[in-house]
Amino acid sequence: MDEDEVHADRVAAILDAVEVGDAARVAVLLEPLHAADIADVLEQIGGAERRALLALWSGEIDGEILSEIDESIREEVIEALPREVVAEAMRELDSDDVVDILEDLDAPQQDLILGALEVADRVAVEQALAFPEGSAGRLMQREVVVAPEHWTVGEAIDYLREVEHLPDQFYHVILADPRMKPTGYVTLGRLLSSRRDMRLKEILEDSFRTVPATETEADVAYMFNQYHLISTPVVDGNGRLVGVITIDDAMNVLDEEHEQDMLRLAGVGDESSLSDGAFATARQRLPWLVVNLFTASISAFVISRFESTIATLVVLASLMPIVASTGGIAGTQSLAVAVRALATRSLTSANAKRVVLRELVGGLLNGIGLAIILGLAAFLVFGDWKLGLVLGMAMITNQVVAALGGVLVPLGLHRLKLDPALASGTFVTTLTDVLGYLAFLGLASMVLL
């Protein structure tokens, strides 16, 4: 039995226990699970079942589970929990996780959670929320391990052993001057493997760099990925240390951006989730379906201009979709690569010309290969070499158009400061459909009639 089947059986057993109100059985089934697996269970069941489950097992919900739950149902879960459970769960979390949860809640829920925090924690969270949405200030955790520049390894280790509270996750001891401006950091591995009398300054990491609190999350995630960082200090406008961002938070940003790009390319909205209801799903998708309806009308208009050609050669009607659909697939392939390359900054103005030329040549080669196959097939099936020639020429044309459109459209949107993933798919599909039909039917009119 594979892991998916085991998970499905466990969910079914949990729902059976919930149906009969067996709280002890629910606890036995959920207790061994990781917080992320419990979050998956809550996301995969219906709203009524979720509320019934929480009514039986709410006392065991902790901060880690709440932070793992998808934001599309997190507010519903919090509303279903007793206030004291929510308060205790929030007190267990680092400030960055609390901020992440609060960002997606309405004001009353935010006030409830803020009121449950200790004064120092509440101040830290409110200060983080004061930074712009999507900034490093929102992403960072306020819990930081700092040491003076003059300390030795032994003094730092003794401090870590004696201090009452340490962050749940930290990778560096940050060195700061008397004005609390970070000057470097030391990894825990170097700290533990160095002599006690060695100065912390002597074992600093070369990777040290700071991030302004107003820097965008996307730029922070790029920096982590580009320079292989595991954490980095965050500074205010005066260069003073205000927090730290760790690799898990930076990678979450990359995952979220990747997910948003995929959803936007598909035209389903960047907040779509399996937990959404039917009405929400329809509302998110309908606008793009309307746009596609309009763009499809352009293709229909092009086809209508060649009614006499199609009426004379009815076989063209059955062959048209081959050229258009193959071009659409090629355009999507090129588009997916270009959008991802723009997101990771692999595609820039410095190499754009080379990438466009590569796509042009690649599209041409694919077009020639497909043209040979399709042209020969058309000749063997219909016994008309001219029809095969038209199909082949149209295929080459549309493959080149698709390859170029797939990279030039997102590049153009990016140059206009628009999200390349948001509308590229619609533009590229329209381009390949319209020009595919135009090339095929236009060549057919000139060569076959």
Side-chain angles (χ1 to χ4, degrees):
M1 185 178 292
D2 62 26
E3 189 173 338
D4 286 343
E5 291 175 340
V6 171
H7 181 73
D9 289 344
R10 183 183 292 117
V11 171
I14 291 170
L15 291 179
D16 288 342
V18 169
E19 187 175 357
V20 298
D22 190 346
R25 179 62 177 161
V26 171
V28 168
L29 291 168
L30 290 175
E31 188 66 33
L33 300 185
H34 186 276
D37 295 325
I38 295 174
D40 284 344
V41 171
L42 291 170
E43 292 164 13
Q44 292 170 12
I45 61 180
E49 296 165 330
R50 187 160 45 241
R51 288 187 291 273
L53 171 58
L54 292 172
L56 288 175
W57 198 69
S58 61
E60 304 300 324
I61 297 289
D62 59 19
E64 189 176 358
I65 295 173
L66 287 181
S67 66
E68 292 284 353
I69 292 174
D70 189 271
E71 57 200 39
S72 63
I73 66 164
R74 187 182 287 154
E75 185 167 0
E76 175 193 337
V77 170
I78 290 175
E79 287 178 352
L81 294 174
R83 297 184 62 173
E84 61 273 13
V85 172
V86 176
E88 183 60 31
M90 291 298 104
R91 284 194 284 266
E92 297 172 358
L93 294 174
D94 288 334
S95 59
D96 59 326
D97 293 321
V98 177
V99 170
D100 182 55
I101 291 175
L102 286 177
E103 283 181 321
D104 301 314
L105 301 180
D106 293 335
Q109 293 282 16
Q110 289 184 350
D111 293 339
L112 169 64
I113 291 174
L114 286 172
L117 299 176
E118 301 292 339
V119 175
D121 293 335
R122 182 169 67 249
V123 170
V125 170
E126 288 175 337
Q127 288 175 343
L129 289 171
F131 289 105
E133 187 175 352
S135 66
R138 291 282 188 99
L139 191 63
M140 69 182 181
Q141 66 179 49
R142 307 283 294 196
E143 298 82 8
V144 184
V145 180
V146 189
E149 295 177 295
H150 62 270
W151 269 12
T152 63
V153 168
E155 289 174 314
I157 291 176
D158 291 342
Y159 167 76
L160 293 176
R161 288 172 175 168
E162 295 170 3
V163 69
E164 186 175 352
H165 296 294
L166 287 174
D168 289 339
Q169 292 185 11
F170 71 100
Y171 309 99
H172 291 117
V173 174
I174 301 171
L175 271 61
D177 64 18
R179 296 170 296 176
M180 279 302 291
K181 293 185 177 182
T183 58
Y185 53 42
V186 178
T187 65
L188 295 180
R190 290 288 296 275
L191 184 70
L192 295 174
S193 62
S194 300
R195 299 192 317 272
R196 285 185 61 86
D197 61 348
M198 185 173 287
R199 296 285 180 183
L200 293 179
K201 280 186 176 181
E202 299 176 42
I203 56 173
L204 294 178
E205 287 294 304
D206 295 334
S207 62
F208 174 76
R209 59 189 67 231
T210 61
V211 173
T214 53
E215 190 76 85
T216 65
E217 289 183 350
D219 287 339
V220 172
Y222 169 78
M223 188 178 75
F224 268 78
N225 191 49
Q226 179 75 3
Y227 302 113
H228 311 293
L229 304 178
I230 55 174
S231 74
T232 192
V234 181
V235 296
D236 62 16
N238 296 315
R240 291 190 296 265
L241 181 67
V242 292
V244 66
I245 295 174
T246 54
I247 188 170
D248 57 322
D249 293 317
M251 292 306 100
N252 283 340
V253 172
L254 283 180
D255 288 342
E256 289 172 3
E257 290 199 332
H258 176 66
E259 180 182 345
Q260 287 177 355
D261 285 347
M262 294 294 293
L263 292 172
R264 287 172 178 174
L265 278 172
V268 295
D270 56 10
E271 295 183 358
S272 294
S273 168
L274 289 177
S275 304
D276 294 338
F279 179 77
T281 299
R283 179 171 51 81
Q284 290 166 351
R285 299 180 186 181
L286 183 60
W288 286 110
L289 292 175
V290 172
V291 171
N292 285 330
L293 184 64
F294 172 74
T295 57
S297 300
I298 300 176
S299 299
F301 174 77
V302 171
I303 294 172
S304 70
R305 298 297 89 191
F306 295 93
E307 284 182 357
S308 58
T309 302
I310 297 172
T312 305
L313 295 169
V314 179
V315 69
L316 296 179
S318 63
L319 296 175
M320 285 190 306
I322 298 177
V323 177
S325 64
T326 309
I329 292 172
T332 301
Q333 291 173 333
S334 179
L335 176 63
V337 173
V339 168
R340 191 62 191 146
L342 285 169
T344 59
R345 306 186 189 183
S346 302
L347 177 55
T348 65
S349 57
N351 65 352
K353 185 180 294 185
R354 178 177 60 82
V355 173
V356 171
L357 181 61
R358 185 201 69 176
E359 292 295 328
L360 172 62
V361 175
L364 180 62
L365 293 175
N366 283 336
I368 292 173
L370 291 171
I372 293 172
I373 296 171
L374 189 59
L376 182 60
F379 175 70
L380 293 175
V381 173
F382 300 103
D384 188 343
W385 68 268
K386 289 185 177 180
L387 179 60
L389 177 64
V390 168
L391 271 171
M393 292 173 63
M395 183 63 72
I396 292 172
T397 301
N398 209 22
Q399 286 295 308
V400 171
V401 168
L404 287 177
V407 67
L408 289 176
V409 168
L411 270 174
L413 292 174
H414 181 70
R415 188 68 60 86
L416 295 172
K417 308 298 183 184
L418 299 174
D419 186 348
L422 190 57
S424 295
T426 301
F427 288 140
V428 172
T429 301
T430 302
L431 196 64
T432 55
D433 283 353
V434 171
L435 293 184
Y437 291 134
L438 188 61
F440 180 54
L441 296 174
L443 287 168
S445 298
M446 291 186 289
V447 176
L448 299 178
L449 296 184

